[in-house]
Amino acid sequence: MSTIRTLTINFDSIIIDVIFGDNFMIYRVFCCFDQGRLVVLFNGFQKKTRKTPKEEIDRAMRLKDEYFNLKRQKNDNV
């Protein structure tokens, strides 16, 4: 079983939610595209309930923001 869906938290923050596994072990990975060419994986975890824990979504959003902020700072210093 594999599922890919877009999880839109707000207008400026889009994260792709990839779910994969079998009936016994399901895993979820949050990622996004960087300039349409690079897939950046933020965090993954074993899914144990139907609802995604808010702290996992918050972690993915924080890591996404950190990634793009560091990239922006690096580009500003060039």
Side-chain angles (χ1 to χ4, degrees), residues 1-5 17-21:
M1 172 193 79
S2 293
T3 303
I4 299 175
R5 68 184 178 118
D17 180 16
V18 181
I19 305 167
F20 58 94

Side-chain angles (χ1 to χ4, degrees), residues 17-58:
D17 180 16
V18 181
I19 305 167
F20 58 94
D22 57 28
N23 291 334
F24 302 105
M25 300 186 90
I26 298 173
Y27 300 92
R28 175 171 261 158
V29 176
F30 292 112
C31 57
C32 77
F33 289 99
D34 183 354
Q35 298 180 352
R37 300 177 303 182
L38 176 68
V39 177
V40 182
L41 304 177
F42 298 114
N43 64 318
F45 61 97
Q46 184 178 359
K47 191 161 168 47
K48 297 179 181 178
T49 63
R50 289 186 59 88
K51 187 171 180 176
T52 302
K54 182 176 180 343
E55 52 272 4
E56 294 294 344
I57 295 172
D58 292 344

